Amino acid sequence: MASASDDPTAGPTDAEAACFEAGIKFGTLYHQFAGTPVSPESAGSLAAAIEESIENQPHCRDVTVDVLTDELEAELAESAADYTELTGRFLEVEIVVDYEGCEVVTRMDMQDGYPLMRVESVRGRAQQE
Amino acid sequence: MASASDDPTAGPTDAEAACFEAGIKFGTLYHQFAGTPVSPESAGSLAAAIEESIENQPHCRDVTVDVLTDELEAELAESAADYTELTGRFLEVEIVVDYEGCEVVTRMDMQDGYPLMRVESVRGRAQQE
Amino acid sequence: MASASDDPTAGPTDAEAACFEAGIKFGTLYHQFAGTPVSPESAGSLAAAIEESIENQPHCRDVTVDVLTDELEAELAESAADYTELTGRFLEVEIVVDYEGCEVVTRMDMQDGYPLMRVESVRGRAQQE
Amino acid sequence: MASASDDPTAGPTDAEAACFEAGIKFGTLYHQFAGTPVSPESAGSLAAAIEESIENQPHCRDVTVDVLTDELEAELAESAADYTELTGRFLEVEIVVDYEGCEVVTRMDMQDGYPLMRVESVRGRAQQE
């Protein structure tokens, strides 16, 4: 029976592994923090904590989080509440991963009503790839 | 058929409702943030974000969170990693709820190897209760 | 200086402690599972897992979770996606706690556009309370 | 100033995008469900719910979750509790992503005391990559 280990081409390239690592950071960030009670006043401390917590993860060079206080204020203006739950439409995020010299820049923002996570650029692919 | 609404004594007193509210805050705090990647360096920003996010919730007067950096450092000293996941043994928390003039002080810390959440005091019970 | 331990009336009654325990279960349930990817097809397995996981917690006698597939279907009908994130408007929950013979029935459903958690009844209060 | 959009080679290949998608699923799975109260009795319903919820996500072909009841039982045998919190040492997971004809098999299990997420194989890379 054939398995991945029989096929020297089946393992990931460094660039593919770098993209996998970047995806892990995005899934972590979103599903760890979505649902957190947030208001315009507490948005800053939450953004700082998200950045510093995700930057702990392996190969993670930089995390930039904007909690969109304008969007928060617009939602709360139509509501009886003075806080809401953190979700994708209140977030813009950039995560940069460096894995074995391969740099991946990834981003999340709203596209067509959904928070879209995507790879913006991959640099430093090895020549043989 | 009898239901709670038939029984004037079945609804909660203000003190009972205050304790229910305090419990909600503790369950929220623990299960929103447990699992967050944390290191001694990022502990401060995480503690600040937890406090400010939970203080958004209704009737919540004050939240004090200590992330125990000594405990974090001790765990990481025995490990190949430089961060870990937030869990109860790295946390001490006090939450004060004020509901209809009834003040409840609640606390979580480690007791016999488990993070124990408990009501420390209830003040301002109505006389008829 | 006076502290709670100087005042024999400051500690919680069994009914207050029962309400605190019920609140913990609600905060846990909501903030552990809010954000989970959910569709009408996966709603049943998610509801079962929520019930069984929360029933593990101390003093928790019964948890009943309805994931509102009609509401899910209505939201998805207006959308390009075939799943969404679990949040309060897709949930109705009843949690029954039994603490030292005191039974507390608690409930969450939508009220005025918000998921409201509340104590419905408290039974078995000690006479001196 | 140069940007990614100036460089036609900077965008991800389909294989890199597939690995990014697989990473998102792993980060989601771990940080959505870590911390869930779990016992040997509730492990089965939790595993089923995790599989079905993550399979909702885009490009996700198959998710297989084993909650390791032997490991749970061993931990609980040394403890006064009859449940614990879900964490990496109780989990083995395989996730298969299919993105634009590129199939990525990814896996998580314990390696040297840590839950390691990794890309096991990438198949269907376009020839020009």
Side-chain angles (χ1 to χ4, degrees), chain B residues 30-31 34-35 37 79-81 85 87 114-115, chain D residues 30-31 34-37 79-81 85 87 114:
Chain B
Y30 197 89
H31 289 273
S79 138
E85 296 173 22
T87 189
Y114 295 94
Chain D
Y30 197 89
H31 289 274
T36 301
S79 137
E85 296 173 21
T87 189
Y114 295 93

mmCIF file with all atom_site columns, all heavy atoms in Angstrom, chain B residues 30-31 34-35 37 79-81 85 87 114-115, chain D residues 30-31 34-37 79-81 85 87 114:
data_model
loop_
_atom_site.group_PDB
_atom_site.id
_atom_site.type_symbol
_atom_site.label_atom_id
_atom_site.label_alt_id
_atom_site.label_comp_id
_atom_site.label_asym_id
_atom_site.label_entity_id
_atom_site.label_seq_id
_atom_site.pdbx_PDB_ins_code
_atom_site.Cartn_x
_atom_site.Cartn_y
_atom_site.Cartn_z
_atom_site.occupancy
_atom_site.B_iso_or_equiv
_atom_site.pdbx_formal_charge
_atom_site.auth_seq_id
_atom_site.auth_comp_id
_atom_site.auth_asym_id
_atom_site.auth_atom_id
_atom_site.pdbx_PDB_model_num
ATOM 1   N N   . TYR B 1 30  ? -14.036 32.387 32.168 1.00 0.00 ? 30  TYR B N   1
ATOM 2   C CA  . TYR B 1 30  ? -13.193 31.190 32.067 1.00 0.00 ? 30  TYR B CA  1
ATOM 3   C C   . TYR B 1 30  ? -13.250 30.587 30.671 1.00 0.00 ? 30  TYR B C   1
ATOM 4   O O   . TYR B 1 30  ? -12.222 30.275 30.065 1.00 0.00 ? 30  TYR B O   1
ATOM 5   C CB  . TYR B 1 30  ? -13.636 30.163 33.111 1.00 0.00 ? 30  TYR B CB  1
ATOM 6   C CG  . TYR B 1 30  ? -12.577 29.115 33.332 1.00 0.00 ? 30  TYR B CG  1
ATOM 7   C CD1 . TYR B 1 30  ? -11.594 29.308 34.292 1.00 0.00 ? 30  TYR B CD1 1
ATOM 8   C CD2 . TYR B 1 30  ? -12.543 27.954 32.573 1.00 0.00 ? 30  TYR B CD2 1
ATOM 9   C CE1 . TYR B 1 30  ? -10.592 28.369 34.484 1.00 0.00 ? 30  TYR B CE1 1
ATOM 10  C CE2 . TYR B 1 30  ? -11.551 27.016 32.761 1.00 0.00 ? 30  TYR B CE2 1
ATOM 11  C CZ  . TYR B 1 30  ? -10.578 27.224 33.719 1.00 0.00 ? 30  TYR B CZ  1
ATOM 12  O OH  . TYR B 1 30  ? -9.586  26.283 33.894 1.00 0.00 ? 30  TYR B OH  1
ATOM 13  N N   . HIS B 1 31  ? -14.441 30.429 30.135 1.00 0.00 ? 31  HIS B N   1
ATOM 14  C CA  . HIS B 1 31  ? -14.555 29.687 28.875 1.00 0.00 ? 31  HIS B CA  1
ATOM 15  C C   . HIS B 1 31  ? -14.346 30.563 27.643 1.00 0.00 ? 31  HIS B C   1
ATOM 16  O O   . HIS B 1 31  ? -14.140 30.050 26.550 1.00 0.00 ? 31  HIS B O   1
ATOM 17  C CB  . HIS B 1 31  ? -15.861 28.899 28.844 1.00 0.00 ? 31  HIS B CB  1
ATOM 18  C CG  . HIS B 1 31  ? -15.778 27.759 29.809 1.00 0.00 ? 31  HIS B CG  1
ATOM 19  N ND1 . HIS B 1 31  ? -15.255 26.537 29.458 1.00 0.00 ? 31  HIS B ND1 1
ATOM 20  C CD2 . HIS B 1 31  ? -16.069 27.680 31.127 1.00 0.00 ? 31  HIS B CD2 1
ATOM 21  C CE1 . HIS B 1 31  ? -15.259 25.745 30.514 1.00 0.00 ? 31  HIS B CE1 1
ATOM 22  N NE2 . HIS B 1 31  ? -15.756 26.408 31.543 1.00 0.00 ? 31  HIS B NE2 1
ATOM 23  N N   . ALA B 1 34  ? -9.939  30.764 28.502 1.00 0.00 ? 34  ALA B N   1
ATOM 24  C CA  . ALA B 1 34  ? -9.108  29.572 28.670 1.00 0.00 ? 34  ALA B CA  1
ATOM 25  C C   . ALA B 1 34  ? -8.685  29.089 27.292 1.00 0.00 ? 34  ALA B C   1
ATOM 26  O O   . ALA B 1 34  ? -9.477  29.097 26.347 1.00 0.00 ? 34  ALA B O   1
ATOM 27  C CB  . ALA B 1 34  ? -9.884  28.485 29.417 1.00 0.00 ? 34  ALA B CB  1
ATOM 28  N N   . GLY B 1 35  ? -7.438  28.697 27.178 1.00 0.00 ? 35  GLY B N   1
ATOM 29  C CA  . GLY B 1 35  ? -6.903  28.251 25.897 1.00 0.00 ? 35  GLY B CA  1
ATOM 30  C C   . GLY B 1 35  ? -6.115  29.320 25.159 1.00 0.00 ? 35  GLY B C   1
ATOM 31  O O   . GLY B 1 35  ? -5.408  29.017 24.189 1.00 0.00 ? 35  GLY B O   1
ATOM 32  N N   . PRO B 1 37  ? -3.198  31.543 24.018 1.00 0.00 ? 37  PRO B N   1
ATOM 33  C CA  . PRO B 1 37  ? -1.741  31.462 24.139 1.00 0.00 ? 37  PRO B CA  1
ATOM 34  C C   . PRO B 1 37  ? -1.235  32.576 25.058 1.00 0.00 ? 37  PRO B C   1
ATOM 35  O O   . PRO B 1 37  ? -1.587  33.746 24.862 1.00 0.00 ? 37  PRO B O   1
ATOM 36  C CB  . PRO B 1 37  ? -1.253  31.665 22.692 1.00 0.00 ? 37  PRO B CB  1
ATOM 37  C CG  . PRO B 1 37  ? -2.426  31.284 21.824 1.00 0.00 ? 37  PRO B CG  1
ATOM 38  C CD  . PRO B 1 37  ? -3.634  31.687 22.611 1.00 0.00 ? 37  PRO B CD  1
ATOM 39  N N   . SER B 1 79  ? 9.907   23.148 30.336 1.00 0.00 ? 79  SER B N   1
ATOM 40  C CA  . SER B 1 79  ? 9.326   22.874 29.029 1.00 0.00 ? 79  SER B CA  1
ATOM 41  C C   . SER B 1 79  ? 10.221  23.394 27.922 1.00 0.00 ? 79  SER B C   1
ATOM 42  O O   . SER B 1 79  ? 11.086  24.250 28.140 1.00 0.00 ? 79  SER B O   1
ATOM 43  C CB  . SER B 1 79  ? 7.939   23.542 28.992 1.00 0.00 ? 79  SER B CB  1
ATOM 44  O OG  . SER B 1 79  ? 7.682   24.186 27.785 1.00 0.00 ? 79  SER B OG  1
ATOM 45  N N   . ALA B 1 80  ? 10.027  22.873 26.721 1.00 0.00 ? 80  ALA B N   1
ATOM 46  C CA  . ALA B 1 80  ? 10.769  23.376 25.560 1.00 0.00 ? 80  ALA B CA  1
ATOM 47  C C   . ALA B 1 80  ? 10.081  24.599 24.951 1.00 0.00 ? 80  ALA B C   1
ATOM 48  O O   . ALA B 1 80  ? 10.648  25.246 24.075 1.00 0.00 ? 80  ALA B O   1
ATOM 49  C CB  . ALA B 1 80  ? 10.881  22.275 24.508 1.00 0.00 ? 80  ALA B CB  1
ATOM 50  N N   . ALA B 1 81  ? 8.889   24.907 25.398 1.00 0.00 ? 81  ALA B N   1
ATOM 51  C CA  . ALA B 1 81  ? 8.108   25.985 24.776 1.00 0.00 ? 81  ALA B CA  1
ATOM 52  C C   . ALA B 1 81  ? 8.333   27.302 25.525 1.00 0.00 ? 81  ALA B C   1
ATOM 53  O O   . ALA B 1 81  ? 8.791   27.312 26.664 1.00 0.00 ? 81  ALA B O   1
ATOM 54  C CB  . ALA B 1 81  ? 6.622   25.629 24.811 1.00 0.00 ? 81  ALA B CB  1
ATOM 55  N N   . GLU B 1 85  ? -0.979  27.570 27.308 1.00 0.00 ? 85  GLU B N   1
ATOM 56  C CA  . GLU B 1 85  ? -2.386  27.965 27.184 1.00 0.00 ? 85  GLU B CA  1
ATOM 57  C C   . GLU B 1 85  ? -2.897  28.441 28.539 1.00 0.00 ? 85  GLU B C   1
ATOM 58  O O   . GLU B 1 85  ? -2.650  27.797 29.552 1.00 0.00 ? 85  GLU B O   1
ATOM 59  C CB  . GLU B 1 85  ? -3.235  26.759 26.747 1.00 0.00 ? 85  GLU B CB  1
ATOM 60  C CG  . GLU B 1 85  ? -2.886  26.241 25.375 1.00 0.00 ? 85  GLU B CG  1
ATOM 61  C CD  . GLU B 1 85  ? -3.627  24.943 25.056 1.00 0.00 ? 85  GLU B CD  1
ATOM 62  O OE1 . GLU B 1 85  ? -4.681  24.666 25.683 1.00 0.00 ? 85  GLU B OE1 1
ATOM 63  O OE2 . GLU B 1 85  ? -3.144  24.205 24.195 1.00 0.00 ? 85  GLU B OE2 1
ATOM 64  N N   . THR B 1 87  ? -5.043  28.644 31.615 1.00 0.00 ? 87  THR B N   1
ATOM 65  C CA  . THR B 1 87  ? -5.980  27.744 32.295 1.00 0.00 ? 87  THR B CA  1
ATOM 66  C C   . THR B 1 87  ? -6.051  28.157 33.763 1.00 0.00 ? 87  THR B C   1
ATOM 67  O O   . THR B 1 87  ? -5.375  29.095 34.184 1.00 0.00 ? 87  THR B O   1
ATOM 68  C CB  . THR B 1 87  ? -5.572  26.272 32.080 1.00 0.00 ? 87  THR B CB  1
ATOM 69  O OG1 . THR B 1 87  ? -6.628  25.432 32.579 1.00 0.00 ? 87  THR B OG1 1
ATOM 70  C CG2 . THR B 1 87  ? -4.274  25.942 32.763 1.00 0.00 ? 87  THR B CG2 1
ATOM 71  N N   . TYR B 1 114 ? -7.732  22.344 41.989 1.00 0.00 ? 114 TYR B N   1
ATOM 72  C CA  . TYR B 1 114 ? -8.750  22.747 41.017 1.00 0.00 ? 114 TYR B CA  1
ATOM 73  C C   . TYR B 1 114 ? -9.049  24.234 41.142 1.00 0.00 ? 114 TYR B C   1
ATOM 74  O O   . TYR B 1 114 ? -9.017  24.772 42.245 1.00 0.00 ? 114 TYR B O   1
ATOM 75  C CB  . TYR B 1 114 ? -10.062 21.972 41.242 1.00 0.00 ? 114 TYR B CB  1
ATOM 76  C CG  . TYR B 1 114 ? -9.852  20.527 40.983 1.00 0.00 ? 114 TYR B CG  1
ATOM 77  C CD1 . TYR B 1 114 ? -9.534  19.671 42.027 1.00 0.00 ? 114 TYR B CD1 1
ATOM 78  C CD2 . TYR B 1 114 ? -9.896  20.033 39.681 1.00 0.00 ? 114 TYR B CD2 1
ATOM 79  C CE1 . TYR B 1 114 ? -9.269  18.335 41.779 1.00 0.00 ? 114 TYR B CE1 1
ATOM 80  C CE2 . TYR B 1 114 ? -9.638  18.706 39.432 1.00 0.00 ? 114 TYR B CE2 1
ATOM 81  C CZ  . TYR B 1 114 ? -9.315  17.864 40.477 1.00 0.00 ? 114 TYR B CZ  1
ATOM 82  O OH  . TYR B 1 114 ? -9.041  16.550 40.223 1.00 0.00 ? 114 TYR B OH  1
ATOM 83  N N   . PRO B 1 115 ? -9.394  24.866 40.031 1.00 0.00 ? 115 PRO B N   1
ATOM 84  C CA  . PRO B 1 115 ? -9.826  26.255 40.130 1.00 0.00 ? 115 PRO B CA  1
ATOM 85  C C   . PRO B 1 115 ? -11.245 26.293 40.692 1.00 0.00 ? 115 PRO B C   1
ATOM 86  O O   . PRO B 1 115 ? -12.174 25.790 40.058 1.00 0.00 ? 115 PRO B O   1
ATOM 87  C CB  . PRO B 1 115 ? -9.783  26.748 38.676 1.00 0.00 ? 115 PRO B CB  1
ATOM 88  C CG  . PRO B 1 115 ? -9.875  25.524 37.827 1.00 0.00 ? 115 PRO B CG  1
ATOM 89  C CD  . PRO B 1 115 ? -9.370  24.369 38.642 1.00 0.00 ? 115 PRO B CD  1
ATOM 90  N N   . TYR D 1 30  ? -9.200  23.684 17.378 1.00 0.00 ? 30  TYR D N   1
ATOM 91  C CA  . TYR D 1 30  ? -8.549  23.644 18.687 1.00 0.00 ? 30  TYR D CA  1
ATOM 92  C C   . TYR D 1 30  ? -9.087  24.736 19.604 1.00 0.00 ? 30  TYR D C   1
ATOM 93  O O   . TYR D 1 30  ? -9.451  24.487 20.758 1.00 0.00 ? 30  TYR D O   1
ATOM 94  C CB  . TYR D 1 30  ? -7.033  23.789 18.512 1.00 0.00 ? 30  TYR D CB  1
ATOM 95  C CG  . TYR D 1 30  ? -6.290  23.354 19.744 1.00 0.00 ? 30  TYR D CG  1
ATOM 96  C CD1 . TYR D 1 30  ? -5.909  22.032 19.894 1.00 0.00 ? 30  TYR D CD1 1
ATOM 97  C CD2 . TYR D 1 30  ? -6.017  24.245 20.780 1.00 0.00 ? 30  TYR D CD2 1
ATOM 98  C CE1 . TYR D 1 30  ? -5.253  21.616 21.037 1.00 0.00 ? 30  TYR D CE1 1
ATOM 99  C CE2 . TYR D 1 30  ? -5.370  23.839 21.922 1.00 0.00 ? 30  TYR D CE2 1
ATOM 100 C CZ  . TYR D 1 30  ? -4.988  22.524 22.043 1.00 0.00 ? 30  TYR D CZ  1
ATOM 101 O OH  . TYR D 1 30  ? -4.348  22.103 23.185 1.00 0.00 ? 30  TYR D OH  1
ATOM 102 N N   . HIS D 1 31  ? -9.178  25.944 19.105 1.00 0.00 ? 31  HIS D N   1
ATOM 103 C CA  . HIS D 1 31  ? -9.513  27.062 19.999 1.00 0.00 ? 31  HIS D CA  1
ATOM 104 C C   . HIS D 1 31  ? -11.008 27.252 20.178 1.00 0.00 ? 31  HIS D C   1
ATOM 105 O O   . HIS D 1 31  ? -11.440 27.946 21.095 1.00 0.00 ? 31  HIS D O   1
ATOM 106 C CB  . HIS D 1 31  ? -8.790  28.324 19.553 1.00 0.00 ? 31  HIS D CB  1
ATOM 107 C CG  . HIS D 1 31  ? -7.323  28.199 19.846 1.00 0.00 ? 31  HIS D CG  1
ATOM 108 N ND1 . HIS D 1 31  ? -6.778  28.526 21.051 1.00 0.00 ? 31  HIS D ND1 1
ATOM 109 C CD2 . HIS D 1 31  ? -6.308  27.683 19.104 1.00 0.00 ? 31  HIS D CD2 1
ATOM 110 C CE1 . HIS D 1 31  ? -5.480  28.260 21.034 1.00 0.00 ? 31  HIS D CE1 1
ATOM 111 N NE2 . HIS D 1 31  ? -5.163  27.751 19.869 1.00 0.00 ? 31  HIS D NE2 1
ATOM 112 N N   . ALA D 1 34  ? -11.199 23.577 22.740 1.00 0.00 ? 34  ALA D N   1
ATOM 113 C CA  . ALA D 1 34  ? -10.358 23.401 23.932 1.00 0.00 ? 34  ALA D CA  1
ATOM 114 C C   . ALA D 1 34  ? -11.037 24.095 25.106 1.00 0.00 ? 34  ALA D C   1
ATOM 115 O O   . ALA D 1 34  ? -11.584 25.184 24.961 1.00 0.00 ? 34  ALA D O   1
ATOM 116 C CB  . ALA D 1 34  ? -8.967  23.975 23.692 1.00 0.00 ? 34  ALA D CB  1
ATOM 117 N N   . GLY D 1 35  ? -11.020 23.447 26.251 1.00 0.00 ? 35  GLY D N   1
ATOM 118 C CA  . GLY D 1 35  ? -11.674 23.996 27.424 1.00 0.00 ? 35  GLY D CA  1
ATOM 119 C C   . GLY D 1 35  ? -13.055 23.418 27.677 1.00 0.00 ? 35  GLY D C   1
ATOM 120 O O   . GLY D 1 35  ? -13.615 23.598 28.761 1.00 0.00 ? 35  GLY D O   1
ATOM 121 N N   . THR D 1 36  ? -13.610 22.707 26.708 1.00 0.00 ? 36  THR D N   1
ATOM 122 C CA  . THR D 1 36  ? -14.935 22.103 26.892 1.00 0.00 ? 36  THR D CA  1
ATOM 123 C C   . THR D 1 36  ? -14.881 21.043 27.995 1.00 0.00 ? 36  THR D C   1
ATOM 124 O O   . THR D 1 36  ? -13.995 20.199 27.993 1.00 0.00 ? 36  THR D O   1
ATOM 125 C CB  . THR D 1 36  ? -15.392 21.435 25.577 1.00 0.00 ? 36  THR D CB  1
ATOM 126 O OG1 . THR D 1 36  ? -15.439 22.419 24.543 1.00 0.00 ? 36  THR D OG1 1
ATOM 127 C CG2 . THR D 1 36  ? -16.773 20.809 25.727 1.00 0.00 ? 36  THR D CG2 1
ATOM 128 N N   . PRO D 1 37  ? -15.836 21.072 28.927 1.00 0.00 ? 37  PRO D N   1
ATOM 129 C CA  . PRO D 1 37  ? -15.906 20.007 29.932 1.00 0.00 ? 37  PRO D CA  1
ATOM 130 C C   . PRO D 1 37  ? -16.127 18.659 29.245 1.00 0.00 ? 37  PRO D C   1
ATOM 131 O O   . PRO D 1 37  ? -17.040 18.531 28.425 1.00 0.00 ? 37  PRO D O   1
ATOM 132 C CB  . PRO D 1 37  ? -17.123 20.406 30.787 1.00 0.00 ? 37  PRO D CB  1
ATOM 133 C CG  . PRO D 1 37  ? -17.288 21.893 30.579 1.00 0.00 ? 37  PRO D CG  1
ATOM 134 C CD  . PRO D 1 37  ? -16.847 22.128 29.158 1.00 0.00 ? 37  PRO D CD  1
ATOM 135 N N   . SER D 1 79  ? -7.478  11.701 40.089 1.00 0.00 ? 79  SER D N   1
ATOM 136 C CA  . SER D 1 79  ? -8.085  12.984 40.413 1.00 0.00 ? 79  SER D CA  1
ATOM 137 C C   . SER D 1 79  ? -9.361  12.770 41.221 1.00 0.00 ? 79  SER D C   1
ATOM 138 O O   . SER D 1 79  ? -9.946  11.676 41.230 1.00 0.00 ? 79  SER D O   1
ATOM 139 C CB  . SER D 1 79  ? -8.386  13.696 39.081 1.00 0.00 ? 79  SER D CB  1
ATOM 140 O OG  . SER D 1 79  ? -9.629  14.307 39.072 1.00 0.00 ? 79  SER D OG  1
ATOM 141 N N   . ALA D 1 80  ? -9.797  13.803 41.908 1.00 0.00 ? 80  ALA D N   1
ATOM 142 C CA  . ALA D 1 80  ? -11.066 13.733 42.629 1.00 0.00 ? 80  ALA D CA  1
ATOM 143 C C   . ALA D 1 80  ? -12.247 14.069 41.723 1.00 0.00 ? 80  ALA D C   1
ATOM 144 O O   . ALA D 1 80  ? -13.398 13.908 42.111 1.00 0.00 ? 80  ALA D O   1
ATOM 145 C CB  . ALA D 1 80  ? -11.043 14.703 43.808 1.00 0.00 ? 80  ALA D CB  1
ATOM 146 N N   . ALA D 1 81  ? -11.984 14.519 40.525 1.00 0.00 ? 81  ALA D N   1
ATOM 147 C CA  . ALA D 1 81  ? -13.050 14.976 39.630 1.00 0.00 ? 81  ALA D CA  1
ATOM 148 C C   . ALA D 1 81  ? -13.491 13.852 38.701 1.00 0.00 ? 81  ALA D C   1
ATOM 149 O O   . ALA D 1 81  ? -12.780 12.865 38.518 1.00 0.00 ? 81  ALA D O   1
ATOM 150 C CB  . ALA D 1 81  ? -12.575 16.164 38.801 1.00 0.00 ? 81  ALA D CB  1
ATOM 151 N N   . GLU D 1 85  ? -11.066 19.280 31.304 1.00 0.00 ? 85  GLU D N   1
ATOM 152 C CA  . GLU D 1 85  ? -11.226 20.182 30.161 1.00 0.00 ? 85  GLU D CA  1
ATOM 153 C C   . GLU D 1 85  ? -10.546 19.572 28.943 1.00 0.00 ? 85  GLU D C   1
ATOM 154 O O   . GLU D 1 85  ? -9.422  19.091 29.040 1.00 0.00 ? 85  GLU D O   1
ATOM 155 C CB  . GLU D 1 85  ? -10.561 21.532 30.453 1.00 0.00 ? 85  GLU D CB  1
ATOM 156 C CG  . GLU D 1 85  ? -11.197 22.282 31.597 1.00 0.00 ? 85  GLU D CG  1
ATOM 157 C CD  . GLU D 1 85  ? -10.406 23.539 31.961 1.00 0.00 ? 85  GLU D CD  1
ATOM 158 O OE1 . GLU D 1 85  ? -9.637  24.032 31.117 1.00 0.00 ? 85  GLU D OE1 1
ATOM 159 O OE2 . GLU D 1 85  ? -10.558 23.993 33.094 1.00 0.00 ? 85  GLU D OE2 1
ATOM 160 N N   . THR D 1 87  ? -8.249  19.228 26.001 1.00 0.00 ? 87  THR D N   1
ATOM 161 C CA  . THR D 1 87  ? -7.014  19.881 25.572 1.00 0.00 ? 87  THR D CA  1
ATOM 162 C C   . THR D 1 87  ? -6.270  18.925 24.653 1.00 0.00 ? 87  THR D C   1
ATOM 163 O O   . THR D 1 87  ? -6.722  17.800 24.400 1.00 0.00 ? 87  THR D O   1
ATOM 164 C CB  . THR D 1 87  ? -6.180  20.347 26.786 1.00 0.00 ? 87  THR D CB  1
ATOM 165 O OG1 . THR D 1 87  ? -5.102  21.157 26.317 1.00 0.00 ? 87  THR D OG1 1
ATOM 166 C CG2 . THR D 1 87  ? -5.657  19.182 27.585 1.00 0.00 ? 87  THR D CG2 1
ATOM 167 N N   . TYR D 1 114 ? 3.779   17.823 23.210 1.00 0.00 ? 114 TYR D N   1
ATOM 168 C CA  . TYR D 1 114 ? 2.971   18.934 22.695 1.00 0.00 ? 114 TYR D CA  1
ATOM 169 C C   . TYR D 1 114 ? 2.057   18.455 21.581 1.00 0.00 ? 114 TYR D C   1
ATOM 170 O O   . TYR D 1 114 ? 2.438   17.569 20.816 1.00 0.00 ? 114 TYR D O   1
ATOM 171 C CB  . TYR D 1 114 ? 3.863   20.049 22.138 1.00 0.00 ? 114 TYR D CB  1
ATOM 172 C CG  . TYR D 1 114 ? 4.667   20.657 23.229 1.00 0.00 ? 114 TYR D CG  1
ATOM 173 C CD1 . TYR D 1 114 ? 5.945   20.185 23.488 1.00 0.00 ? 114 TYR D CD1 1
ATOM 174 C CD2 . TYR D 1 114 ? 4.123   21.640 24.044 1.00 0.00 ? 114 TYR D CD2 1
ATOM 175 C CE1 . TYR D 1 114 ? 6.669   20.693 24.539 1.00 0.00 ? 114 TYR D CE1 1
ATOM 176 C CE2 . TYR D 1 114 ? 4.845   22.151 25.092 1.00 0.00 ? 114 TYR D CE2 1
ATOM 177 C CZ  . TYR D 1 114 ? 6.119   21.678 25.346 1.00 0.00 ? 114 TYR D CZ  1
ATOM 178 O OH  . TYR D 1 114 ? 6.825   22.178 26.401 1.00 0.00 ? 114 TYR D OH  1
#
